[in-house]
Amino acid sequence: MSARERRYVITLGCPDRTGIVARISTFLAEQGGWIVEAAYHTDTDTNWFFTRQEVRADSLPFDVAELRHRFASVARELGVQSDWRVTDTGQKRRVVILVSKAGHCLYDILGRVASGELDVDVRAVIGNHADLAGITRAHGIPFHHVPFPVAGKDPEGKQAAFAQIRQLVDSQRPDAVVLARFMQVLPHELCAAWSGKALNIHHSFLPSFMGARPYHQAYARGVKLVGATCHYVTADLDAGPIIEQEVGRVDHTDSVADMVRKGTDIEKVVLARGLRWHVEDRVLVHGNRTVVFH
Amino acid sequence: MSARERRYVITLGCPDRTGIVARISTFLAEQGGWIVEAAYHTDTDTNWFFTRQEVRADSLPFDVAELRHRFASVARELGVQSDWRVTDTGQKRRVVILVSKAGHCLYDILGRVASGELDVDVRAVIGNHADLAGITRAHGIPFHHVPFPVAGKDPEGKQAAFAQIRQLVDSQRPDAVVLARFMQVLPHELCAAWSGKALNIHHSFLPSFMGARPYHQAYARGVKLVGATCHYVTADLDAGPIIEQEVGRVDHTDSVADMVRKGTDIEKVVLARGLRWHVEDRVLVHGNRTVVFH
Amino acid sequence: MSARERRYVITLGCPDRTGIVARISTFLAEQGGWIVEAAYHTDTDTNWFFTRQEVRADSLPFDVAELRHRFASVARELGVQSDWRVTDTGQKRRVVILVSKAGHCLYDILGRVASGELDVDVRAVIGNHADLAGITRAHGIPFHHVPFPVAGKDPEGKQAAFAQIRQLVDSQRPDAVVLARFMQVLPHELCAAWSGKALNIHHSFLPSFMGARPYHQAYARGVKLVGATCHYVTADLDAGPIIEQEVGRVDHTDSVADMVRKGTDIEKVVLARGLRWHVEDRVLVHGNRTVVFH
Amino acid sequence: MSARERRYVITLGCPDRTGIVARISTFLAEQGGWIVEAAYHTDTDTNWFFTRQEVRADSLPFDVAELRHRFASVARELGVQSDWRVTDTGQKRRVVILVSKAGHCLYDILGRVASGELDVDVRAVIGNHADLAGITRAHGIPFHHVPFPVAGKDPEGKQAAFAQIRQLVDSQRPDAVVLARFMQVLPHELCAAWSGKALNIHHSFLPSFMGARPYHQAYARGVKLVGATCHYVTADLDAGPIIEQEVGRVDHTDSVADMVRKGTDIEKVVLARGLRWHVEDRVLVHGNRTVVFH
């Protein structure tokens, strides 16, 4: 696939009122901006307006910093609560991935990056087990092993391990921290520090089967579909804003192990979509819900 | 579609051991029985064996009563706990439908019956509202209006209404009692009386969003798929054995009303499948899980 | 579901250039128009721009005729080739349905209308067989039986029958002519006369299995999914612009009759979606492709 | 996932008649065979019977060679045309993969093997381009680069290249030859030589869009779903028996490049399922259709 043309992406959420679209589109037209993709949404419950616009970089006579500067005035007019970003697709997004032993999501992301499908810069993979060091390094990516104490023992050791992870992650200034079947619950301070950029893949169709061993829970309940959910990590375990979900069919012939296996295909696809939309600035969070302009 | 050939259907659940398939298939072969469809399953957790077999009626030199009589000996050999049925597809299944105001599931079932797709005998429709009397009677089916007291008031009136429903239902000796978006919770004694033949359609992907207003719950949680579940009614609200589930995609543009509308298509299909499988003796209940030989 | 608020719907297709969104949104903002839903799309291959906007009727100080009049000037500025419409959701869309013997799609549409889910005015049902007269009239809708000569015989009789159908249809000035499993091929002059408003449901995933007996073709090819396609009728049989498609799973246990049965559920849903989007002015045709703003 | 217990797998296709199930199950019961999974199917059009049975290896007092020897007599009784196999899950299946430049299917298979999900022995990867040598060798698997002459030029060079591929493949005695987006059309003699073990992934929902550039064809036709098909390779291009198909939704916002990208996820899953079912002896070919006991 040839390189995509460079674009600037504007996202905005603000209180709804008449004339917002006119204000923004007139601003862009005045600069000569060629809008390639534009999406709008109004949440009528909360009276909140959302938009995402892609403008061809070469249609504007200045760079992204200047666009950001000029758009700030527009955003200010639209209300002090307005929440906006202006980004440049020419700047590759930085990603750090946290893993444990299960490798299917990591293999999948690395394959997408290597084949050019997912255009991000994976800065590091960090594992509380070392199992996935080999494949990570085969892709030319640093792997850090941060061992964790046995569950329930040595809370200070655990705290130290998370401190080390935090240092490793933050040193990369990532745009996304991906919990790719990372089996440790993030402490609240990390949820807060990485708010809006830590993505988790949970192996159930949330809110069903939160917490541990969701496929075992699904089997016990006798459901006919299993699912996976990609969501932003918050202090509430498995309760953050949902970015994407998908399900697949199971039946009485499927053991828990079969569900686990079938689920991996769902997890991989859901996480890959969630990550793509996040790094393309397609996800706008509003309370505990998301607007996804895909 | 031409009439299907007449078949006898044998279903059996029993403790697993070597030789069950040989025992049953030899029994059938000895009578000249031509097996048209056969399915087997072993639940390895509970070591339980399940089978369903369809035999061409004209391949056997006797009727269903005699087959039932002879098969009883085979079943006895397979263990006192064995649970079995022998039925005749030549005997049309009797169905009673309970409704409230929402008509989409009723319209759908009546359309399927009228067009010959679902070959059952709808004996009666009973509503706690009268809204659906017209369409029911247009299909030549009796409609009974059994008004209920306002929610929370007059528990004796409610009890009397349920007693009347029970009498109306039981007088039809139905093989299936379908709660087609019937908005009253069945009392425990009715759950018990209709155990294994009362089917409910719940408008969520259970176990998510049990109880009232599941689409409102789904909207609030920001899920990306909505679903429906057909399950056997038990005393545990929305927790009975699941027969079928399906989901459909929603996104941030969908209001609760949109979810309700999109959900109707899922509910109709899920209920129709569950009802079909039930009347074709394809569903074997085992604890709180089902084996569905579809 | 409570009545939806009244809205005016603007759709437009025109050559793309910078400033179109600004022009339209400024026009609406100047009139005080409150945009409730807005969608944009640019086809980069043909450099064509599309938009659909819903404006609250009560936010404008004039009626739909005046809005149409004023918008005409805007559209003219955007190019002589621009193709636009302004409609009013307060004016119920008029639908005529053509059927043969198979009733599943007709039952489904009538059920949706009766339950308030699909807010259209079904003016008439016309059948080349009389089988579906009863259910149509039970819904209070006129049914016209227009018998056709035996296939291949009496071309003049066939021509006369189509002339009669044309007269019956056109007398209703419909916004949509729905071929709900109507088993006669429309003559070219009717395809032309009803261009852009005749919708067909074809019982395959087009372009696979065009023409007669698609389920038989699908069975013979051994496909693992069967599908249905809702498309605009053109003189090219089963080759018109596709509005919607869906598939469902089949396997080796499914006979042609099973595929036919499973297919009905897909056909009903696909036709219902296509019809809804058509009457809500969500479908913009561009060459042989459609832009569907759903 | 712990290692699965060892099983012997019997598959059989033969003319249908009364008593086949009894004959096979009695044979197994007499040897003490514990059937863990059993499936049966009768094709009523051709009156052909199919079965697949998994027996616990440790329930039989002899090895797979002896089971094969004894079962041969049973199969002989069931007709000279009967087509059967007896295999041992303890013997890992040997796989050779052919690739060109696109790596998504190869990455996916290698990831599944490395994570233990797909328990096969990938003996070699052969590419007509060298792009995928690195990832292959990182997994410890030999990669062979067999360059092809420019399309349409040098037919003898092409013939020599295929001869080399054949030698490389056959020297591995593979149970499966996987064309993982291999962009050269196999010559008839290779189709014949590898009949029933060469699997191709075609990037469309066959029979739609056979041949070259299916996503371009799909885009031009304006379909609303794109798909992929895993099928056995035959001398008829893209017309062999279908093992598995899947589709995914696209809309007017998707360019050909988007369809290609969305399609990769479908291709990966469809090929992985097809390969798994093939190596688990779950696919029985009958004419141009398949019976898949999954």
Side-chain angles (χ1 to χ4, degrees):
Chain A
M1 221 175 305
S2 66
R4 290 183 66 192
E5 66 186 11
R6 188 170 185 173
R7 296 174 178 186
Y8 301 144
V9 178
I10 300 171
T11 60
L12 169 76
C14 67
D16 195 22
R17 63 171 173 78
T18 300
I20 303 178
V21 177
R23 184 68 193 88
I24 298 172
S25 53
T26 302
F27 162 77
L28 285 170
E30 284 167 359
Q31 325 286 333
W34 182 346
I35 302 172
V36 194
E37 195 181 317
Y40 301 87
H41 173 63
T42 299
D43 185 300
T44 50
D45 284 359
T46 57
N47 199 38
W48 211 259
F49 173 87
F50 305 87
T51 188
R52 177 184 182 278
Q53 316 221 6
E54 288 194 11
V55 183
R56 284 181 59 161
D58 60 11
S59 70
L60 291 174
F62 41 68
D63 69 2
V64 70
E66 180 63 20
L67 175 61
R68 201 174 284 134
H69 176 71
R70 296 189 185 196
F71 188 74
S73 316
V74 178
R76 216 170 300 126
E77 283 177 42
L78 298 173
V80 290
Q81 305 154 281
S82 74
D83 179 27
W84 61 277
R85 296 184 70 184
V86 174
T87 59
D88 178 353
T89 65
Q91 290 165 357
K92 215 179 249 202
R93 295 314 170 86
R94 302 163 68 91
V95 175
V96 174
I97 305 175
L98 305 190
V99 299
S100 293
K101 288 183 173 180
H104 55 276
C105 285
L106 180 66
Y107 279 102
D108 188 67
I109 294 173
L110 296 180
R112 290 172 195 271
V113 174
S115 65
E117 178 203 315
L118 183 64
D119 190 26
V120 299
D121 183 5
V122 180
R123 304 293 306 166
V125 175
I126 303 168
N128 61 326
H129 295 276
D131 305 51
L132 299 169
I135 184 66
T136 301
R137 290 174 184 148
H139 281 265
I141 296 167
F143 183 91
H144 306 284
H145 179 205
V146 179
F148 270 61
V150 174
K153 313 270 177 188
D154 187 10
E156 283 174 22
K158 189 169 174 180
Q159 211 175 332
F162 270 121
Q164 190 186 348
I165 285 181
R166 181 173 189 168
Q167 193 278 326
L168 286 166
V169 169
D170 289 352
S171 70
Q172 297 300 335
R173 292 168 293 111
D175 300 289
V177 182
V178 179
L179 282 63
R181 297 296 306 273
F182 179 62
M183 302 306 278
Q184 297 284 337
V185 178
L186 287 197
H188 286 201
E189 64 269 23
L190 280 189
C191 296
W194 299 337
S195 175
K197 66 180 177 186
L199 287 78
N200 185 45
I201 179 71
H202 185 76
H203 38 313
S204 83
F205 179 71
L206 291 174
S208 288
F209 313 132
M210 294 190 282
R213 295 164 67 89
Y215 291 120
H216 288 79
Q217 295 182 52
Y219 180 88
R221 181 60 189 94
V223 292
K224 300 300 184 186
L225 301 164
V226 292
T229 303
C230 179
H231 63 94
Y232 285 113
V233 176
T234 61
D236 263 350
L237 184 66
D238 298 332
I242 293 171
I243 304 171
E244 174 64 343
Q245 300 186 292
E246 192 55 271
V247 297
R249 196 157 278 279
V250 291
D251 64 25
H252 61 268
T253 65
D254 290 301
S255 64
V256 171
D258 293 324
M259 287 184 172
V260 167
R261 175 174 54 76
K262 292 187 174 179
T264 60
D265 277 338
I266 309 169
E267 294 166 38
K268 291 189 293 192
V269 158
V270 167
L271 179 56
R273 286 188 202 142
L275 178 54
R276 166 180 296 277
W277 296 337
H278 174 79
V279 296
E280 291 182 357
D281 285 309
R282 296 183 177 280
V283 189
L284 283 71
V285 176
H286 186 57
N288 205 40
R289 307 176 77 242
T290 60
V291 171
V292 184
F293 289 124
H294 53 74
Chain B
M1 220 174 306
S2 68
R4 289 184 67 191
E5 66 185 12
R6 187 171 185 173
R7 297 173 178 187
Y8 301 144
V9 178
I10 300 172
T11 59
L12 168 76
C14 67
D16 195 22
R17 63 169 172 79
T18 301
I20 303 179
V21 177
R23 184 68 194 89
I24 298 172
S25 55
T26 303
F27 162 76
L28 285 170
E30 283 167 0
Q31 324 285 335
W34 182 346
I35 301 171
V36 194
E37 194 181 319
Y40 301 88
H41 174 61
T42 298
D43 184 302
T44 49
D45 284 359
T46 57
N47 200 36
W48 211 259
F49 173 88
F50 305 87
T51 188
R52 177 183 182 279
Q53 316 223 6
E54 288 195 11
V55 183
R56 285 182 58 162
D58 61 11
S59 71
L60 290 174
F62 42 70
D63 69 2
V64 70
E66 181 63 19
L67 175 61
R68 201 173 284 132
H69 175 70
R70 295 190 186 196
F71 188 75
S73 317
V74 177
R76 217 172 299 126
E77 282 175 43
L78 297 173
V80 290
Q81 304 153 283
S82 74
D83 178 27
W84 61 278
R85 296 185 68 182
V86 174
T87 58
D88 178 353
T89 65
Q91 289 164 0
K92 217 180 248 202
R93 295 315 169 85
R94 302 163 68 93
V95 175
V96 174
I97 304 174
L98 306 189
V99 298
S100 293
K101 288 183 172 179
H104 55 276
C105 285
L106 181 65
Y107 279 103
D108 187 68
I109 295 172
L110 296 180
R112 290 173 195 271
V113 174
S115 65
E117 177 203 314
L118 183 64
D119 190 27
V120 299
D121 183 6
V122 180
R123 304 293 306 165
V125 175
I126 304 168
N128 61 326
H129 295 275
D131 306 51
L132 299 169
I135 185 65
T136 301
R137 289 173 185 147
H139 282 266
I141 296 167
F143 183 91
H144 307 282
H145 179 203
V146 179
F148 270 61
V150 173
K153 313 267 178 191
D154 187 10
E156 283 174 22
K158 189 169 173 180
Q159 211 176 333
F162 270 121
Q164 191 185 346
I165 284 182
R166 179 173 190 167
Q167 192 278 326
L168 286 166
V169 169
D170 289 352
S171 70
Q172 296 300 334
R173 293 168 293 109
D175 299 290
V177 182
V178 179
L179 281 65
R181 297 295 307 272
F182 179 63
M183 303 305 280
Q184 297 284 339
V185 177
L186 287 197
H188 286 199
E189 64 270 22
L190 279 189
C191 296
W194 299 338
S195 174
K197 66 182 178 187
L199 287 78
N200 185 43
I201 178 73
H202 184 75
H203 38 315
S204 83
F205 180 66
L206 289 175
S208 287
F209 313 132
M210 295 190 281
R213 296 164 66 88
Y215 291 121
H216 288 77
Q217 295 182 53
Y219 180 88
R221 180 62 188 93
V223 292
K224 299 300 183 185
L225 301 163
V226 293
T229 304
C230 179
H231 64 93
Y232 285 113
V233 176
T234 62
D236 263 350
L237 184 65
D238 298 332
I242 293 170
I243 304 171
E244 174 64 342
Q245 301 187 292
E246 192 56 270
V247 298
R249 197 157 278 277
V250 292
D251 65 25
H252 61 268
T253 65
D254 291 300
S255 64
V256 171
D258 293 325
M259 287 183 171
V260 166
R261 175 174 55 73
K262 292 188 174 177
T264 61
D265 277 338
I266 307 170
E267 295 166 37
K268 291 189 293 192
V269 158
V270 168
L271 179 54
R273 286 188 203 143
L275 178 55
R276 166 180 295 278
W277 296 337
H278 173 79
V279 297
E280 291 183 357
D281 285 311
R282 296 182 178 280
V283 189
L284 283 72
V285 175
H286 185 58
N288 205 40
R289 308 177 77 241
T290 60
V291 170
V292 183
F293 289 124
H294 52 76
Chain C
M1 221 174 307
S2 67
R4 289 184 66 192
E5 66 186 11
R6 188 170 185 173
R7 297 174 177 185
Y8 300 145
V9 178
I10 300 171
T11 61
L12 168 76
C14 67
D16 195 22
R17 63 168 171 81
T18 301
I20 303 178
V21 177
R23 183 70 193 87
I24 297 171
S25 54
T26 302
F27 162 75
L28 285 170
E30 283 167 0
Q31 323 287 333
W34 183 346
I35 303 170
V36 194
E37 194 181 318
Y40 302 87
H41 173 64
T42 298
D43 184 302
T44 50
D45 283 359
T46 58
N47 200 36
W48 212 259
F49 173 88
F50 305 87
T51 188
R52 176 184 182 279
Q53 316 222 8
E54 288 194 11
V55 183
R56 285 181 59 161
D58 62 11
S59 71
L60 291 173
F62 41 69
D63 69 2
V64 71
E66 180 64 20
L67 175 61
R68 200 174 285 133
H69 175 70
R70 297 189 185 196
F71 188 75
S73 317
V74 178
R76 216 171 299 126
E77 283 175 41
L78 297 174
V80 290
Q81 305 154 282
S82 74
D83 180 26
W84 60 277
R85 297 185 68 184
V86 175
T87 58
D88 178 353
T89 64
Q91 289 165 358
K92 218 180 247 203
R93 296 314 170 84
R94 303 163 67 93
V95 175
V96 174
I97 304 174
L98 306 188
V99 298
S100 292
K101 287 183 173 181
H104 55 276
C105 285
L106 180 66
Y107 279 103
D108 187 67
I109 294 172
L110 296 181
R112 289 173 195 270
V113 175
S115 64
E117 178 202 314
L118 183 63
D119 189 27
V120 300
D121 183 5
V122 180
R123 303 294 305 166
V125 175
I126 303 168
N128 61 325
H129 296 276
D131 306 52
L132 299 170
I135 184 67
T136 302
R137 290 173 183 146
H139 281 265
I141 297 166
F143 182 92
H144 306 282
H145 179 203
V146 179
F148 271 62
V150 174
K153 314 268 177 191
D154 187 10
E156 283 175 21
K158 189 168 172 178
Q159 212 177 332
F162 270 121
Q164 190 185 349
I165 284 181
R166 179 174 190 167
Q167 191 278 325
L168 286 166
V169 169
D170 289 352
S171 70
Q172 297 299 334
R173 293 168 292 107
D175 300 289
V177 183
V178 179
L179 282 64
R181 298 294 306 273
F182 179 64
M183 302 306 279
Q184 298 283 338
V185 177
L186 286 198
H188 286 200
E189 64 269 24
L190 280 190
C191 295
W194 299 338
S195 174
K197 67 182 178 185
L199 287 78
N200 185 44
I201 179 74
H202 184 75
H203 37 317
S204 83
F205 179 67
L206 290 173
S208 289
F209 314 132
M210 295 190 282
R213 296 165 66 89
Y215 291 120
H216 288 78
Q217 296 182 52
Y219 180 87
R221 180 61 187 93
V223 292
K224 300 300 184 186
L225 300 164
V226 293
T229 304
C230 178
H231 64 95
Y232 286 112
V233 176
T234 62
D236 263 349
L237 184 66
D238 298 332
I242 293 170
I243 305 171
E244 174 64 342
Q245 302 187 289
E246 192 56 271
V247 298
R249 196 156 277 278
V250 292
D251 64 25
H252 61 268
T253 65
D254 290 301
S255 64
V256 171
D258 293 325
M259 287 183 171
V260 167
R261 174 174 55 75
K262 292 187 174 179
T264 60
D265 277 337
I266 308 169
E267 295 166 36
K268 292 189 292 190
V269 158
V270 168
L271 179 55
R273 286 188 203 143
L275 178 54
R276 166 180 296 277
W277 296 337
H278 173 79
V279 297
E280 290 182 358
D281 285 310
R282 296 183 177 279
V283 189
L284 283 72
V285 176
H286 185 58
N288 206 40
R289 307 177 78 241
T290 59
V291 170
V292 184
F293 288 125
H294 53 76
Chain D
M1 221 174 307
S2 66
R4 288 185 67 192
E5 66 186 12
R6 189 171 184 172
R7 297 174 178 185
Y8 300 144
V9 178
I10 300 170
T11 60
L12 168 76
C14 66
D16 196 21
R17 63 169 172 81
T18 300
I20 303 177
V21 178
R23 184 68 194 89
I24 298 171
S25 54
T26 302
F27 162 76
L28 285 170
E30 283 167 0
Q31 324 286 333
W34 183 346
I35 303 171
V36 193
E37 194 181 318
Y40 301 87
H41 174 63
T42 298
D43 184 301
T44 51
D45 284 359
T46 58
N47 199 35
W48 212 259
F49 173 88
F50 304 87
T51 189
R52 177 184 182 280
Q53 315 222 7
E54 288 194 11
V55 183
R56 284 180 59 161
D58 61 11
S59 71
L60 290 174
F62 41 69
D63 69 2
V64 70
E66 180 63 20
L67 175 61
R68 201 174 284 133
H69 175 70
R70 296 189 184 195
F71 188 74
S73 316
V74 178
R76 215 171 300 125
E77 282 176 43
L78 298 173
V80 290
Q81 304 154 283
S82 74
D83 180 25
W84 61 277
R85 296 184 69 185
V86 175
T87 57
D88 178 353
T89 64
Q91 289 165 358
K92 216 179 249 202
R93 295 316 170 84
R94 302 163 69 91
V95 175
V96 174
I97 305 175
L98 306 189
V99 298
S100 293
K101 287 182 173 181
H104 55 277
C105 286
L106 180 66
Y107 280 103
D108 188 67
I109 294 173
L110 296 181
R112 289 173 195 271
V113 174
S115 65
E117 178 203 313
L118 184 63
D119 190 26
V120 300
D121 183 5
V122 180
R123 303 293 307 167
V125 175
I126 303 168
N128 61 328
H129 295 277
D131 306 51
L132 300 170
I135 184 66
T136 302
R137 290 174 185 147
H139 282 264
I141 296 167
F143 182 92
H144 306 283
H145 179 205
V146 179
F148 270 62
V150 173
K153 313 270 178 188
D154 188 10
E156 284 174 22
K158 188 169 175 180
Q159 211 175 334
F162 270 121
Q164 190 186 348
I165 284 182
R166 180 173 190 169
Q167 193 277 325
L168 285 166
V169 169
D170 290 352
S171 71
Q172 296 300 334
R173 293 168 293 108
D175 300 290
V177 183
V178 178
L179 282 64
R181 297 296 305 274
F182 179 63
M183 302 306 278
Q184 298 284 338
V185 177
L186 287 197
H188 286 202
E189 63 270 23
L190 279 190
C191 296
W194 299 338
S195 174
K197 66 181 178 186
L199 287 78
N200 185 44
I201 179 73
H202 184 75
H203 37 314
S204 83
F205 180 71
L206 291 174
S208 288
F209 314 131
M210 293 191 283
R213 295 164 66 89
Y215 292 119
H216 288 78
Q217 296 182 52
Y219 180 87
R221 180 61 189 93
V223 293
K224 300 300 185 186
L225 300 164
V226 294
T229 304
C230 178
H231 64 93
Y232 286 113
V233 176
T234 62
D236 263 350
L237 186 65
D238 298 332
I242 293 171
I243 305 171
E244 174 63 344
Q245 301 186 291
E246 191 55 271
V247 297
R249 196 156 279 278
V250 292
D251 64 26
H252 61 267
T253 64
D254 290 301
S255 65
V256 172
D258 293 325
M259 287 183 171
V260 167
R261 175 174 54 75
K262 292 187 175 180
T264 59
D265 277 338
I266 308 170
E267 294 166 38
K268 291 188 293 190
V269 158
V270 168
L271 178 55
R273 285 187 202 143
L275 178 55
R276 166 181 295 278
W277 296 337
H278 173 79
V279 297
E280 291 182 356
D281 285 309
R282 296 182 176 281
V283 189
L284 283 70
V285 175
H286 186 58
N288 206 39
R289 308 176 78 242
T290 60
V291 171
V292 183
F293 288 125
H294 53 74

